[in-house]
Amino acid sequence: MSASQTISSPSREALQQRKFFALMMGLGILLNLSLLYRRFLSHTLQSPGILLMDILSVAFLGMLIYTFTHQDTRRVIPGILLLVAAGFLYLSQTRLLKSQELLQATLENETGVVYLTLRKDHSFELMRVTWAGITDKDEGRYNLRGDRIEFNQRPDSSLLPPEARINQGLILLGEDSTAQIFRIVLDERPTQ
């Protein structure tokens, strides 16, 4: 009987380690998926979606540290690869890898703030931020012709008109009487 107990004891521990490893890898994959679909989560779930990503991050990092300190360090390598992938996904969604800002303007209203950013590579972002975080984000391409901004490639659901006007530190979206007025906070356009 003692021989069977010595055989089953290590296999039980090995089984627990495998389960822990599978749980850690599952959390890492969920973390990467949540970063990949970050806009969807923050738009549909708003604050709970952001909280979910934070919980996944902390749980995955905790399990990765535990595995590194208490278990076989070879099992840490896939976790580190998932962590590096999550880092790349996160960086791709930040300003660090994007083109330099050429023009930035804000519109403050009763529901929050809307940010319009034009970049040097002719891409733009229109981001609505409320108390619940980023609620909507449109991206596309633009052309700048003097004091006119032509939004060429924009989402079909975008509230942006095809054209906007720059006038005395303001960007006017729409017709004069119903225009949304953005205040320019950064202007790096070359002077003519």
Side-chain angles (χ1 to χ4, degrees):
M1 246 201 232
S2 64
S4 66
Q5 287 177 344
T6 57
I7 293 173
S8 65
S9 181
S11 63
R12 184 179 299 161
E13 186 178 314
L15 182 62
Q16 286 178 335
Q17 284 183 350
R18 280 191 218 121
K19 285 181 180 179
F20 186 84
F21 180 72
L23 182 62
M24 182 185 73
M25 297 306 292
L27 281 173
I29 291 169
L30 283 174
L31 173 63
N32 280 292
L33 287 173
S34 70
L35 284 169
L36 190 61
Y37 295 106
R38 183 180 187 166
R39 187 181 305 160
F40 172 76
L41 284 173
S42 63
H43 181 68
T44 55
L45 299 177
Q46 295 181 354
S47 294
I50 296 168
L51 183 64
L52 174 69
M53 287 188 286
D54 293 343
I55 291 170
L56 284 173
S57 301
V58 170
F60 177 68
L61 286 175
M63 293 181 87
L64 188 63
I65 290 169
Y66 178 82
T67 302
F68 185 71
T69 57
H70 290 87
Q71 293 185 3
D72 185 11
T73 55
R74 289 179 292 160
R75 292 184 180 256
V76 174
I77 293 171
I80 290 174
L81 291 175
L82 281 173
L83 189 62
V84 168
F88 279 124
L89 283 171
Y90 180 74
L91 280 177
S92 71
Q93 297 172 2
T94 64
R95 293 190 215 181
L96 294 175
L97 300 178
K98 293 184 179 179
S99 176
Q100 186 178 356
E101 295 174 350
L102 181 67
L103 194 79
Q104 189 176 42
T106 61
L107 167 68
E108 296 181 26
N109 58 29
E110 62 277 352
T111 61
V113 181
V114 182
Y115 296 98
L116 175 63
T117 304
L118 304 180
R119 299 191 177 277
K120 285 190 176 182
D121 67 351
H122 293 278
S123 64
F124 76 85
E125 298 163 0
L126 182 73
M127 191 170 24
R128 292 168 193 81
V129 180
T130 65
W131 63 271
I134 298 172
T135 57
D136 200 11
K137 186 174 180 182
D138 290 337
E139 295 176 324
R141 309 283 300 163
Y142 77 92
N143 283 324
L144 194 60
R145 304 208 191 287
D147 65 344
R148 299 236 178 248
I149 305 168
E150 297 173 356
F151 297 105
N152 300 328
Q153 296 174 1
R154 61 188 202 288
D156 294 335
S157 63
S158 177
L159 299 176
L160 282 175
E163 195 173 274
R165 216 174 57 227
I166 301 172
N167 186 7
Q168 298 175 355
L170 302 173
I171 296 178
L172 306 169
L173 295 178
E175 300 299 320
D176 290 334
S177 62
T178 61
Q180 293 183 356
I181 301 172
F182 284 75
R183 183 177 46 88
I184 296 175
V185 293
L186 173 74
D187 192 351
E188 297 291 327
R189 293 177 297 156
T191 57
Q192 296 177 353

